[in-house]
Amino acid sequence: MAAVRALVGSRFAAASAFASLSPGGRTPSQRAAIHLSAPQPAAKVALVLSGCGVYDGTEIHEASAILVHLSRGGAEVQIFAPDVPQMHVIDHTKGQPSESESRNVLTESARIARGTITDLAKLNAANHDAAIFPGGFGAAKNLLCCIAPVLAAKVLRGVEVTVGHEQEEGGKWPYAGTAEAIKALGAKHFVKEVAEAHVDQKNKVVTTPAFMCHTALHHIHDGIGAMVQKVLELTGK
Amino acid sequence: MAAVRALVGSRFAAASAFASLSPGGRTPSQRAAIHLSAPQPAAKVALVLSGCGVYDGTEIHEASAILVHLSRGGAEVQIFAPDVPQMHVIDHTKGQPSESESRNVLTESARIARGTITDLAKLNAANHDAAIFPGGFGAAKNLLCCIAPVLAAKVLRGVEVTVGHEQEEGGKWPYAGTAEAIKALGAKHFVKEVAEAHVDQKNKVVTTPAFMCHTALHHIHDGIGAMVQKVLELTGK
């Protein structure tokens, strides 16, 4: 699951390996042309990664989908990751830790960011309209994604989130029990389909099931698109 | 750039971490309902990865886009990578090799494949309708992507490919000189936009500029979508 916390903020100077405001994106000038009013600044979004690869880092396809949809939405994106050692390095062919290896979360995250990445310690919420925390289980802190809405439930009393369905339904929702853990923390769980996102208007948190559902990848991609769209709507830009 | 060679083949037993034929994809039964004829088997596509991350492996966003579009097209996908050491490990925060590290191409590719991956040595073209080779410069052989249409030009006499435009145009096409290298090898270069794909019907090769163009990520995603669509059309499934 991917989740997001929208933050009130102002402009920042984003340097990105992705040319996010080229023709075809929702650029300020294009929006001005549509609305016949003064150009509106693009939403400034911080994307917080935690490595490269599900199980020991950020789930790659969630991260890529977020960047594609932010690009389509005309957002200005700055990518962050914590400059800390990974808790472990998973051999993805075996699903087990590779004991002899050590990696850095920031350096691994730079693979997804194509090099242009900033130490998470420099993230200032006041500089961003929103922050997106894609998922994976992992070593880094500050995740709010995949199974991590449970963390949101711990941090934000009574927060509204979704991890999809609440029953396994023959393996389609293998982590359905997570919903009960969320409720046990005093949060509110909303049943959603994989291509949907839930918006907590009060807390400005948007969540979508993503890989909590065992389904075709394009459905997960579309759900993340719904999440990104809701996040950009929350920014008001 | 992502490129593809369509191969004549038959069914294979694909095991994939991605549930590629769940509701919403172009499943055989759905297509049967549309065409009022016997169910048509899904296209069997081999995706060949070469590590995880542009510069020393497969470009992550190209690979993810290919998988999203193959999923949407209802293809059955089996992911391969060569079980060989990487030529080098790039520190993506510096753009330079990290001398002290060594990694395996198959193991790193498994990060994109979410674990379910097969040694490239076991790839049998007869089992697949098409093979897609996404890009990045790298250690692995058998690439036909990004700058690798140059390799296609070497291997297939007179092959038709695109790497986008043939002039830099103020930095929008920073690798435009590649087109001249392709022509020098006796191949034919076709000027295409980033969201387009070129089909060589004779050689059954499909190419799209992808990251050869400095543009917003969603345009690259859409170009890869065009490429995947043309590939699936070539399979006739």
Side-chain angles (χ1 to χ4, degrees), chain A residues 214-218, chain B residues 14 16-27 67 70-77:
Chain A
H214 183 66
T215 186
L217 184 59
H218 68 285
Chain B
S16 173
F18 301 103
S20 61
L21 288 176
S22 56
R26 198 182 58 167
T27 65
L67 285 165
L70 285 173
S71 171
R72 205 179 297 282
E76 285 185 21
V77 183

Side-chain angles (χ1 to χ4, degrees), chain B residues 80-220:
Chain B
F80 296 87
D83 188 9
V84 297
Q86 289 190 194
M87 186 176 74
H88 52 201
V89 178
I90 297 292
D91 179 337
H92 285 64
T93 62
K94 298 171 183 166
Q96 294 174 344
S98 176
E99 299 297 345
S100 61
E101 283 191 271
S102 64
R103 297 186 187 181
N104 176 281
V105 175
L106 178 70
T107 307
E108 287 307 296
S109 300
R111 293 181 172 273
I112 294 174
R114 294 173 58 86
T116 306
I117 196 160
T118 305
D119 184 348
L120 181 61
K122 296 180 181 171
L123 190 152
N124 181 344
N127 292 335
H128 302 270
D129 299 305
I132 298 183
F133 305 82
F137 318 114
K141 298 174 184 174
N142 296 307
L143 288 177
L144 280 175
C145 50
C146 260
I147 204 166
V150 179
L151 299 182
K154 287 203 77 158
V155 174
L156 300 168
R157 189 75 190 167
V159 68
E160 299 178 1
V161 297
T162 184
V163 289
H165 284 211
E166 299 184 356
Q167 304 297 325
E168 291 196 12
E169 300 173 22
K172 186 178 180 186
W173 298 93
Y175 317 107
T178 308
E180 290 305 316
I182 285 168
K183 292 179 194 172
L185 288 164
K188 300 188 188 87
H189 183 257
F190 286 75
V191 172
K192 290 284 178 180
E193 303 304 324
V194 68
E196 296 178 321
H198 181 76
V199 181
D200 180 332
Q201 290 285 354
K202 180 184 166 198
N203 289 295
K204 296 189 183 298
V205 168
V206 186
T207 48
T208 186
F211 279 101
M212 299 296 276
C213 181
H214 183 68
T215 187
L217 183 60
H218 67 287
H219 296 307
I220 293 166

